[in-house]
Amino acid sequence: MINIAIMGYGTIGSGVAEAFYTNSHIINERAGQDISLKYVLDLRDFPGSPVEQVLIKDFNAILNDGDVRIVVETMGGVGAAYDFVSALLRRGKSVVTSNKELVAKHGAALFALARGSGANFLFGASVGGGIPVVRPLNSCLTGDRITEISGILNGTTNYILTEMTQNNKGFNEALSEAQRLGYAERDSSDDILGLDTCRKLAILISVITGEKVEASDIHTEGIDKITIDDIRYAKTINGNVKLIARANITQDGVWATVSPAIVTGGHPLNMVNGVFNGILIKANISGDLMFYGRGAGKLPTAGAVTADVIECAKNLNRNVSCFWTDEKRRVYDIGDNICRKLARVSCKDGERAMDKAIEKAQQIFKCKQVYVLSEHRDEFAFVTEAMPEKTLGGQIKELLECENINGILSLLRIEGTGETKSASKSETKSVSKSKTKSVV
Ligand code: HSE
């Protein structure tokens, strides 16, 4: 029999306990021996809960108990969690975590500790919730060179954007629902500002390359500034706004970004809604792959943790978790990243001022089509050609010199290389003065 402990009885920790009680027979069978939950560490009391009899408040009880071979860390954060996990690995106990902050920041050091003591440090639940993506990358695609990874890696923000897009919900209402459903981080600004996605992308690139990627090196934008009007403009080009993580991996470096982007037409990520995550991988031998499933929530994440516990149980005295080293992967300057964007421009009120502003935009950006939301007489949008971010920055600066332009309301990257088409004729109306201006 193997004894395990859970540190942190929050949403995920309680889900792991539930998974072990619900599926004990199948888990024991697959692990090859019985797994017993000996301790649950939490400073809070949970009277009447199924783990009441095994609740403890002293970490040392787990550390010093030689019978405990595998520990689940679902506390979150990088303070106590890092100290506890390091101490456990040094003692030769395997650790399974769902804590992406811990893995992104200290993964290389923790793998080294695990290697040194013959234990394992597994973290499949830290990316994509219930989607098995880390282990396939580390075992099924090892004969491939992976050149590209892109995806929706955060359930909370995808839930919010889907609710705003499909049900006209306000940002705050959708966020409260995501929090109530147990999708959000302890501090939901990590979700909203793109930091959670950024950590997950850093982990995936590190798994693929075997080198450490600092999350702080990845250009990251959140969804905090996305408005209903951004979503409406996205619809005019047959797109939806999604928070997209993208990495293009070369022999010696990586382009990596996290930003809201417009995903158009039949792009596979356009079908990923609500709490679901989708991850696209381009591999030079196996071709294109897509991973899809519930990216957040108690039981999907607990399922991924449980699978890693079973993996540890099957490899009790054998380290299988050497994922990446401390050597840093180069992250290229975002300024050289080539992309197309939908630019929303605020201009002086009135048709004449707007026409002059549009003329200027067309002169600088050579855009054939501009879009105007029917009730607005003081803003318009257009799609740029593909160009490096820094060239785009220069052209925007030039545009802002036009006296009829007040500023840029938003700049949204367009995901993928597919041609951006305007919406069907019935949704758009040409304006007689300018064949290129569509009121939508
Ligand atoms: N807050 C995270 C999300 C939890 O919404 O995706 C799962 O990592």
Side-chain angles (χ1 to χ4, degrees):
M1 184 170 77
I2 302 176
N3 285 303
I4 68 165
I6 297 173
M7 302 193 300
Y9 195 65
T11 306
I12 310 305
S14 60
V16 176
E18 188 178 329
F20 273 94
Y21 292 134
T22 309
N23 281 357
S24 62
H25 180 70
I26 204 167
I27 289 169
N28 294 341
E29 202 173 86
R30 289 180 181 158
Q33 51 193 314
D34 288 358
I35 296 183
S36 169
L37 179 57
K38 188 163 183 185
Y39 301 114
V40 172
L41 177 73
D42 205 295
L43 293 177
R44 299 164 292 180
D45 293 313
F46 296 93
S49 88
V51 298
E52 199 179 359
Q53 299 306 317
V54 292
L55 261 178
I56 55 165
K57 295 189 191 320
D58 180 12
F59 166 69
N60 288 312
I62 297 173
L63 183 66
N64 296 325
D65 187 334
D67 283 347
V68 175
R69 306 289 308 274
I70 303 165
V71 180
V72 171
E73 185 278 303
T74 44
M75 302 160 58
V78 286
Y82 175 66
D83 295 340
F84 291 179
V85 170
S86 309
L88 292 163
L89 291 172
R90 276 197 195 92
R91 287 280 173 100
K93 296 180 196 295
S94 289
V95 177
V96 172
T97 189
S98 58
N99 182 344
K100 45 256 151 170
E101 198 179 353
L102 180 71
V103 180
K105 195 161 182 190
H106 297 296
L110 296 171
F111 300 134
L113 286 179
R115 218 165 31 245
S117 67
N120 285 297
F121 178 55
L122 299 184
F123 55 93
S126 68
V127 182
I131 307 173
V133 62
V134 170
R135 198 146 344 120
L137 278 176
N138 202 46
S139 58
C140 313
L141 292 168
T142 41
D144 273 271
R145 178 180 293 285
I146 293 169
T147 54
E148 203 176 309
I149 183 154
S150 58
I152 293 167
L153 301 179
N154 183 272
T156 302
T157 46
N158 204 43
Y159 182 85
I160 293 171
L161 291 171
T162 304
E163 289 297 308
M164 287 172 78
T165 305
Q166 295 183 352
N167 300 322
N168 280 325
K169 290 220 174 111
F171 184 95
N172 289 328
E173 189 191 349
L175 171 60
S176 303
E177 276 176 18
Q179 286 166 329
R180 186 177 50 78
L181 292 164
Y183 302 155
E185 291 301 293
R186 285 192 307 180
D187 176 356
S188 53
S189 59
D190 282 9
D191 296 298
I192 305 306
L193 300 176
L195 303 176
D196 179 76
T197 300
C198 168
R199 291 175 191 131
K200 290 168 177 169
L201 182 62
I203 292 171
L204 289 177
I205 303 168
S206 298
V207 171
I208 291 167
T209 62
E211 291 174 349
K212 181 179 173 160
V213 172
E214 298 284 359
S216 55
D217 287 345
I218 297 178
H219 173 88
T220 300
E221 296 167 43
I223 65 159
D224 49 316
K225 296 188 182 69
I226 298 298
T227 63
I228 292 287
D229 279 351
D230 288 320
I231 289 170
R232 289 173 66 201
Y233 274 114
K235 283 183 183 167
T236 69
I237 57 167
N238 284 336
N240 291 303
V241 180
K242 306 275 185 192
L243 183 64
I244 300 290
R246 159 165 287 282
N248 291 70
I249 302 163
T250 66
Q251 294 273 15
D252 59 352
V254 60
W255 302 95
T257 52
V258 171
S259 69
I262 299 175
V263 184
T264 57
H267 191 294
L269 294 179
N270 220 354
M271 322 301 160
V272 179
N273 290 314
V275 71
F276 284 84
N277 284 190
I279 303 158
L280 297 172
I281 290 173
K282 265 192 195 311
N284 71 336
I285 306 293
S286 303
D288 290 352
L289 299 108
M290 180 164 180
F291 295 80
Y292 173 81
R294 286 182 182 273
K298 178 175 169 173
L299 289 179
T301 313
V305 170
T306 307
D308 275 350
V309 170
I310 294 172
E311 188 69 9
C312 286
K314 284 156 72 179
N315 293 286
L316 265 190
N317 299 307
R318 195 166 68 100
N319 173 264
V320 292
S321 64
C322 172
F323 286 88
W324 64 86
T325 67
D326 220 9
E327 192 159 326
K328 264 184 80 168
R329 185 83 179 173
R330 177 174 170 211
V331 179
Y332 298 121
D333 184 347
I334 185 73
D336 295 320
N337 194 38
I338 294 174
C339 58
R340 299 168 77 202
K341 290 197 175 176
L342 180 116
R344 267 182 70 203
V345 182
S346 157
C347 58
K348 299 245 154 65
D349 204 0
E351 193 153 352
R352 202 176 139 76
M354 182 190 275
D355 282 348
K356 283 208 168 323
I358 287 174
E359 216 172 277
K360 187 73 180 172
Q362 291 185 315
Q363 190 190 329
I364 297 171
F365 284 93
K366 316 275 178 268
C367 52
K368 294 196 181 74
Q369 185 87 39
V370 296
Y371 306 93
V372 180
L373 292 181
S374 56
E375 74 278 21
H376 287 316
R377 309 316 302 163
D378 58 357
E379 68 164 86
F380 61 93
F382 63 91
V383 175
T384 73
E385 290 177 329
M387 64 179 94
E389 295 260 3
K390 61 184 175 206
T391 310
L392 178 65
Q395 294 197 356
I396 292 286
K397 215 167 145 199
E398 199 183 328
L399 184 66
L400 291 175
E401 282 164 14
C402 170
E403 59 175 357
N404 291 300
I405 288 176
N406 296 327
I408 300 296
L409 295 165
S410 61
L411 271 172
L412 285 174
R413 193 170 64 75
I414 296 174
E415 174 63 14
T417 51
E419 200 196 334
T420 313
K421 297 192 184 79
S422 64
S424 66
K425 277 219 171 75
S426 60
E427 291 171 59
T428 58
K429 196 172 78 184
S430 283
V431 172
S432 56
K433 268 189 180 172
S434 161
K435 286 198 180 85
T436 60
K437 189 165 83 178
S438 294
V439 177
V440 291

